[in-house]
Amino acid sequence: TFTLTVAAELKIAQVSRDSTGVLLRWNTLPGGQYQLEYKDQLQAVEWTPIGEPQPATDTFLEATDTSSLPEQRFYRIRLLSN
């Protein structure tokens, strides 16, 4: 026997910017570990993590990028485990 879990695609649901930085909010599966990452140039090979991986206890997580922000920045969310 096995269990198959079908979930909504992982996507960033909200992005907002204020004086403290950029807030990102994304959908999750409870029990998963998620890592927010960025890079400033799309062609760059490496992504840089923002903070530590976050455990999901509900259907959404959020994090704020408080670093000094360039003119543009690209973000992604990685599901590390579930």
Side-chain angles (χ1 to χ4, degrees):
T1 345
F2 66 93
T3 303
L4 176 65
T5 303
V6 178
E9 69 180 307
L10 178 59
K11 63 181 177 180
I12 296 174
Q14 177 185 355
V15 179
S16 58
R17 185 174 183 163
D18 64 18
S19 61
T20 62
V22 175
L23 172 75
L24 296 103
R25 180 179 165 95
W26 62 93
N27 64 312
T28 65
L29 287 174
Q33 288 277 332
Y34 295 85
Q35 179 66 58
L36 175 61
E37 299 176 332
Y38 77 90
K39 57 183 172 178
D40 294 332
Q41 299 296 323
L42 196 53
Q43 68 274 17
V45 176
E46 298 293 321
W47 289 86
T48 302
I50 296 175
E52 297 297 319
Q54 295 186 51
T57 57
D58 204 347
T59 56
F60 280 93
L61 275 174
E62 59 184 43
T64 301
D65 180 359
T66 59
S67 63
S68 126
L69 297 170
E71 192 171 307
Q72 68 178 8
R73 179 161 279 177
F74 301 91
Y75 294 96
R76 76 174 183 182
I77 308 296
R78 286 194 315 129
L79 174 59
L80 302 178
S81 66
N82 191 15

